[in-house]
Amino acid sequence: MTAVAVAVPLVWLAWLVVTDWVPMFPLNDLNGANVRGRALAAAINYPFPLLIAAGVALHRTWSLTAATVLCVLVMAGHVRSWWLPYFGFATAEQRELYRREYSRTWKILPTAGHAVVIDVQHMVVGLLSLLMLAATIVVTLTA
């Protein structure tokens, strides 16, 4: 299970890198994306999976605890960025970012009545975040 808990954050990171930088419309829409904004988001987001994978690989009580806390923060950030706005708790900034960068991407959830709708690329991020959290918790509890 440790191998899975190390691999999932790396898959999560690879997914982010590909969808952040490789145009694959309509999975992602990089036409309206600000390169500087994407680089800043990368600088903020990319260290998390590396730290989580390292914490799990180190396999010490403190490192597993830190990795679990980081997973919780990643999951909370995902919920705050996508699910809360979908259910009506979007800021003006989130609505504008959505309009500019994500309004034309693939979605499977209903869009009517929602200012922000989570798209397929971010549903994959959410699923990977959940798997990362679950695997890290399992390894932490069985250590």
Side-chain angles (χ1 to χ4, degrees):
M1 186 53 139
T2 300
V4 171
V6 170
V8 173
L10 301 177
V11 171
W12 186 90
L13 175 59
W15 177 258
L16 283 186
V17 169
V18 169
T19 58
D20 284 348
W21 300 103
V22 179
M24 297 178 290
F25 186 79
L27 179 64
N28 63 4
D29 184 4
L30 301 182
N31 287 335
N34 172 327
V35 173
R36 186 174 179 187
R38 281 189 286 151
L40 177 60
I44 293 167
N45 291 320
Y46 294 1
F48 280 90
L50 296 174
L51 291 169
I52 292 165
V56 172
L58 191 55
H59 209 76
R60 303 282 187 263
T61 301
W62 67 268
S63 69
L64 291 168
T65 301
T68 302
V69 168
L70 290 174
C71 286
V72 168
L73 291 173
V74 165
M75 198 70 231
H78 179 73
V79 169
R80 182 189 170 279
S81 296
W82 288 103
W83 291 103
L84 290 178
Y86 180 72
F87 288 107
F89 301 100
T91 65
E93 182 182 354
Q94 286 171 317
R95 288 190 298 274
E96 173 55 26
L97 177 67
Y98 174 79
R99 185 202 59 75
R100 189 177 64 246
E101 296 185 19
Y102 304 109
S103 63
R104 300 178 338 129
T105 57
W106 279 335
K107 292 157 194 72
I108 58 175
L109 292 175
T111 58
H114 299 278
V116 174
V117 179
I118 187 168
D119 59 5
V120 170
Q121 72 170 316
H122 289 95
M123 290 183 101
V124 172
V125 171
L127 178 62
L128 290 170
S129 298
L130 196 56
L131 290 171
M132 186 167 59
L133 176 61
T136 303
I137 288 172
V138 167
V139 170
T140 300
L141 292 176
T142 58

